[in-house]
Amino acid sequence: MIVLGLTGSIGMGKSTAGKMFREAGVAVHDSDEAVHRLYAGAAAPLVEAAFPGTTVDGVVDRAALGKLVFGDPVALKKLEAIVHPLVRADADEFLARQRAAGARLAVLDIPLLFETGGRDRVDKVAVVSAPAEVQRERVLARPGMTAERFEAILAKQVPDAEKRRLADYVIDTCRDFDVTRARIGEIIADLTGEKTAASDG
């Protein structure tokens, strides 16, 4: 089974690309979705112990937690030390299930794949990308997002140009959805040798 890492900087369209892989019949493990599940489960008591007052009824209050860790590198590292191993274990279980089911291809959606040394966990990497002005417009349209916060997030991420250079595949998300869908179909066909409806256009 081939494991494809799907990544890209904030606002580049990774969620849309992940959805298109699913629509094409490829199983996708979404790290952000896994965090949401873990915050309502296994991670909650560990986060509460490290950051008292950040859970409500056994579920992590993301807003309360964000106020404590955003802009505090020490607190952020403390949180990552709790969450990252749990997300990785969740992903490993997902891959084991896909292998047992005989899947030819599985996708790990990892937002910070290059930043967290995740390249060794996957066989190939697909990077979603769009022009900087499109990225900025998308991100600043998000509720609660400010230009200052956007710049702070960008500063912690490997630059888009570097990600594109390191990628095996680049998915341009600033064009028509059908173009993006066709590109994903091409990637699936290249990795599995199987044509998809999307790759046929």
Side-chain angles (χ1 to χ4, degrees):
M1 185 179 80
I2 294 169
V3 180
L4 176 67
L6 177 65
T7 194
S9 298
I10 184 172
M12 290 300 198
K14 191 167 52 57
S15 296
T16 297
K19 183 181 177 187
M20 290 179 179
F21 272 104
R22 287 191 183 95
E23 289 170 351
V26 178
V28 178
H29 180 273
D30 183 332
S31 292
D32 286 339
E33 186 272 332
V35 170
H36 276 276
R37 280 190 287 105
L38 290 163
Y39 276 179
L46 302 175
V47 172
E48 177 63 27
F51 304 97
T54 56
T55 62
V56 179
D57 296 328
V59 177
V60 173
D61 180 333
R62 293 172 74 97
L65 182 62
K67 286 176 184 175
L68 288 180
V69 302
F70 187 73
D72 184 337
V74 174
L76 185 60
K77 281 197 179 301
K78 189 175 177 183
L79 177 63
E80 288 173 347
I82 295 169
V83 176
H84 286 180
L86 292 173
V87 173
R88 183 162 185 153
D90 194 79
D92 288 345
E93 288 174 14
F94 161 82
L95 292 176
R97 289 195 303 272
Q98 295 310 309
R99 284 194 180 93
R104 300 275 301 279
L105 173 67
V107 172
L108 291 184
D109 176 338
I110 308 174
L112 300 176
L113 184 144
F114 293 118
E115 293 84 348
T116 58
R119 181 64 182 84
D120 63 337
R121 297 173 56 197
V122 299
D123 300 307
K124 299 286 184 179
V125 175
V127 166
V128 291
S129 183
E133 62 272 17
V134 174
Q135 176 192 27
R136 186 178 185 84
E137 185 179 328
R138 287 174 179 170
V139 176
L140 292 182
R142 296 181 181 183
M145 183 58 70
T146 64
E148 179 186 49
R149 187 169 187 193
F150 172 51
E151 294 300 333
I153 292 169
L154 271 189
K156 294 175 186 170
Q157 298 188 341
V158 170
D160 177 58
E162 179 69 1
K163 285 178 177 170
R164 292 170 71 102
R165 188 184 70 77
L166 294 169
D168 297 291
Y169 304 99
V170 175
I171 302 169
D172 184 346
T173 64
C174 74
R175 300 163 73 187
D176 186 271
F177 275 176
D178 287 341
V179 175
T180 304
R181 197 172 282 112
R183 174 60 176 151
I184 286 169
E186 290 170 3
I187 293 169
I188 294 169
D190 186 54
L191 291 171
T192 66
E194 296 174 358
K195 289 268 189 170
T196 68
S199 64
D200 287 337

